[in-house]
Amino acid sequence: MTQLNLPTMFPIHSRHVAVIGAGAAGLVAAREIRREGHKVVVLEKNDQIGGTWIYTDRVESDPLGLDPKRPVIHSSIYGSLRTNLPRELMGFKDYPFVSRNDGSGDPRRFPGHTEVLKYLKEFAREFGIEEMVRFETEVVNVGLMDNNKWKVRSKKINNKDSFDDIYDAVVVCNGHYSQPRIAEIPGIDSWPGKQIHSHNYRTPEHYRDQVIVLIGSSASAVDICRDIAGVAREVHVASRSVADGTYEKQPGYDNMWLHSMIEIALKDGTVVFRNGNMVLADVILHCTGYKYHFPFLDTSGYVTVDDNRVGPLYKHVFPPGLAPWLSFVGLPWKVIPFPMCELQSKWIAGALSGRILLPSQEEMMEDTKAFYSTLEASGIPKRYTHNLSDYQFDYDNWLAGQCGCEGVEEWRILMYLAASSSRRTRPETYRDEWEDDHLILQAQEDFNKYPP
Ligand code: FAD
């Protein structure tokens, strides 16, 4: 009988693999795929690694990010951003995100963005990842050739040189927080105020003494409304996840209110909410999320993005008909991203070498269709296809099972639940006050397996 998943069979086949992007997903994909014995090239349009964690004060020419011709700024990080997960959760499994206590960084449990970038750079240095990266190289086209290899066309930033390279496999790690999605608001075309998407929000100064309507209730919305309330005259948060009659003054603020969604925007500058209130607003700030976007990917229509579902994808990673030669790392959201990307990458690495066997194309497609049917039957819209909030740990454990490695640690699950609950109930203070010290101790014990 054929034995699968045994390290003794490794490597069965070594492949030439292109990884697109050198953010957290691309870095760990490159590490895992090379570890398996494949030859890896990482193509990165920026001049450094880190992806979304590279803060810049530059913003795009179109503040809503709708103009397809605009030069894209990749990162959506704002100046005051601190992580919304405790650092113990965030790190890769075998390279914990611990504070080095050498005075060189930000030792806080929920550190600022610079500390995350520093961690990713240290990770890349530790595992010699940078030597695989071609910087300032933007992938402009990925297409399948007649011989089932992939032609990857890339161009150098700042000059017109372009290159075609041939690979056995392509791993897409281009991130999904750069292409804004905006709210549909009746009357908005004749509303005279300024609109901006949170992708182009950096610091609150521009909003001094203004009346702001901020749409959204995600982690960024929760942070940014508080950032702005410190300088703005009024902040009115409109959320589609509250009842239509909602109108609440926000505790601790005398200039911030929570409303139900916007009913209409009028040409005299008034914004009317579904709760019947209206305000004369200067700015509408859309904290309304992002779209998956793969402008370079040409699969002759096999992989599409439909209402923010990237599909068909088996377990959010492999398009069945193109597996394992095309894969995606990091698509799921409402997850702990770094360790999930690590497991997805291990799975891809093993599938590429043949060490891990994937189901047949038909079985993967059947599974994928069954998954979509379950979502539909539960009334879950397509745009939530990659939202794993209810089952991220089952998903991680399933991946770990495929790879023959340990599943998610108990402390990680409990700590995630504790952090999520305190973020909901204490948005002002959860980053500096917590009650799960016992879980931190358990995490640290675990981390001792991986000395710095
Ligand atoms: P990215 O980091 O976006 O990297 C993608 C890379 O691909 C970039 O370097 C980009 O330049 C490159 N690229 C894109 N297109 C091309 C191309 N055509 N050619 C070549 N290169 C290309 N996660 C947490 O764990 N904790 C947090 O507290 C947290 N807070 C967040 C706050 C905000 C505001 C946002 C937006 C995200 C946050 N996240 C957080 C999620 C975060 O995005 C992930 O943790 C992770 O960094 C995603 O990594 P990635 O590699 O998938 O994407």
Side-chain angles (χ1 to χ4, degrees):
M1 200 179 80
T2 320
Q3 286 191 306
L4 299 169
N5 298 342
L6 290 182
T8 46
M9 294 178 70
F10 155 88
I12 298 175
H13 292 293
S14 173
R15 312 290 184 185
H16 189 205
V17 184
V19 170
I20 302 173
L27 293 173
V28 75
R31 185 189 69 164
E32 294 302 332
I33 293 167
R34 184 175 62 180
R35 262 183 179 171
E36 184 82 10
H38 304 293
K39 185 170 170 245
V40 181
V41 175
V42 183
L43 302 153
E44 170 51 58
K45 65 181 176 179
N46 214 322
D47 59 1
Q48 55 179 310
I49 63 135
T52 216
W53 295 100
I54 304 168
Y55 174 77
T56 171
D57 51 15
R58 287 181 306 126
V59 293
E60 292 177 357
S61 47
D62 172 6
L64 277 180
L66 294 179
D67 177 2
K69 295 209 183 73
R70 75 201 189 280
V72 171
I73 292 181
H74 185 79
S75 180
S76 302
I77 295 289
Y78 34 93
S80 64
L81 185 136
R82 290 173 64 187
T83 65
N84 51 41
L85 293 173
R87 61 194 307 150
E88 299 87 11
L89 288 183
M90 276 183 65
F92 298 113
K93 237 178 134 147
D94 62 356
Y95 191 75
F97 183 18
V98 290
S99 160
R100 303 276 160 198
N101 275 339
D102 58 2
S104 68
D106 174 352
R108 291 174 296 179
R109 189 174 182 218
F110 293 76
H113 53 79
T114 313
E115 178 76 357
V116 184
L117 182 61
K118 180 168 168 278
Y119 165 77
L120 289 175
K121 291 194 164 167
E122 284 166 357
F123 173 75
R125 200 171 314 121
E126 175 74 20
F127 294 97
I129 298 168
E130 280 204 3
E131 67 199 34
M132 292 183 262
V133 185
R134 286 189 201 154
F135 288 106
E136 298 187 308
T137 304
E138 178 176 9
V139 172
V140 290
N141 190 267
V142 174
L144 194 57
M145 302 194 309
D146 289 342
N147 59 359
N148 283 341
K149 304 235 176 210
W150 293 92
K151 182 154 86 181
V152 175
R153 175 163 297 168
S154 57
K155 74 172 177 53
K156 284 307 226 186
I157 304 289
N158 297 330
N159 72 39
K160 298 249 178 305
D161 295 348
S162 70
F163 306 89
D164 285 344
D165 293 297
I166 310 299
Y167 296 92
D168 298 315
V170 173
V171 184
V172 179
C173 305
N174 67 327
H176 50 89
Y177 294 110
S178 294
Q179 193 65 26
R181 215 160 68 139
I182 62 163
E184 282 171 22
I185 305 170
I188 196 66
D189 290 342
S190 47
W191 183 75
K194 192 178 157 194
Q195 291 186 76
I196 168 180
H197 188 276
S198 55
H199 175 59
N200 288 306
Y201 173 79
R202 298 291 180 267
T203 54
E205 277 75 47
H206 302 288
Y207 305 94
R208 184 167 295 282
D209 301 327
Q210 304 208 343
V211 176
I212 316 295
V213 171
L214 181 149
I215 307 173
S217 48
S218 66
S220 299
V222 172
D223 281 350
I224 294 173
C225 68
R226 286 168 171 77
D227 219 17
I228 290 184
V231 301
R233 185 142 55 92
E234 293 173 14
V235 179
H236 298 270
V237 179
S239 168
R240 70 171 172 199
S241 22
V242 297
D244 273 358
T246 304
Y247 175 57
E248 292 166 7
K249 188 121 189 241
Q250 291 307 91
Y253 294 86
D254 57 13
N255 64 343
M256 183 153 69
W257 294 263
L258 175 67
H259 300 260
S260 44
M261 210 24 213
I262 297 172
E263 176 78 37
I264 190 167
L266 303 175
K267 59 176 181 270
D268 68 356
T270 304
V271 173
V272 184
F273 299 93
R274 284 191 193 155
N275 59 17
N277 286 286
M278 53 181 81
V279 294
L280 196 59
D282 299 299
V283 178
I284 294 180
L285 175 44
H286 298 248
C287 298
T288 38
Y290 296 86
K291 294 179 193 166
Y292 294 100
H293 190 50
F294 310 99
F296 49 80
L297 192 58
D298 176 8
T299 57
S300 303
Y302 188 84
V303 179
T304 59
V305 182
D306 177 12
D307 189 20
N308 236 19
R309 166 184 293 171
V310 186
L313 284 188
Y314 176 59
K315 308 290 183 194
H316 308 277
V317 172
F318 290 115
L322 300 170
W325 314 114
L326 182 67
S327 56
F328 296 78
V329 179
L331 296 192
W333 49 283
K334 291 234 172 161
V335 296
I336 309 176
F338 293 11
M340 179 201 69
C341 291
E342 190 173 6
L343 287 167
Q344 290 180 324
S345 302
K346 283 182 194 292
W347 188 36
I348 293 166
L352 284 173
S353 67
R355 182 173 61 81
I356 298 173
L357 200 62
L358 294 177
S360 70
Q361 234 185 73
E362 292 70 31
E363 286 166 333
M364 286 192 277
M365 191 53 117
E366 241 170 61
D367 182 280
T368 307
K369 282 185 180 161
F371 169 57
Y372 295 160
S373 300
T374 314
L375 294 181
E376 211 174 304
S378 319
I380 297 173
K382 276 189 187 161
R383 63 178 186 279
Y384 290 132
T385 297
H386 306 293
N387 173 351
L388 264 52
S389 56
D390 292 338
Y391 65 100
Q392 68 159 319
F393 298 117
D394 291 341
Y395 177 73
D396 289 347
N397 284 333
W398 184 89
L399 288 170
Q402 299 302 300
C403 304
C405 57
E406 272 174 40
V408 185
E409 312 88 332
E410 187 66 13
W411 64 259
R412 212 183 278 264
I413 299 172
L414 296 174
M415 191 181 281
Y416 180 81
L417 296 174
S420 306
S421 147
S422 52
R423 187 170 61 235
R424 260 192 320 273
T425 52
R426 296 183 288 106
E428 324 292 335
T429 56
Y430 77 94
R431 292 183 172 97
D432 297 303
E433 293 167 15
W434 52 82
E435 287 163 3
D436 58 350
D437 281 317
H438 61 296
L439 296 173
I440 301 181
L441 286 177
Q442 286 175 34
Q444 281 163 351
E445 246 171 63
D446 211 33
F447 296 163
N448 288 336
K449 288 192 244 160
Y450 313 101

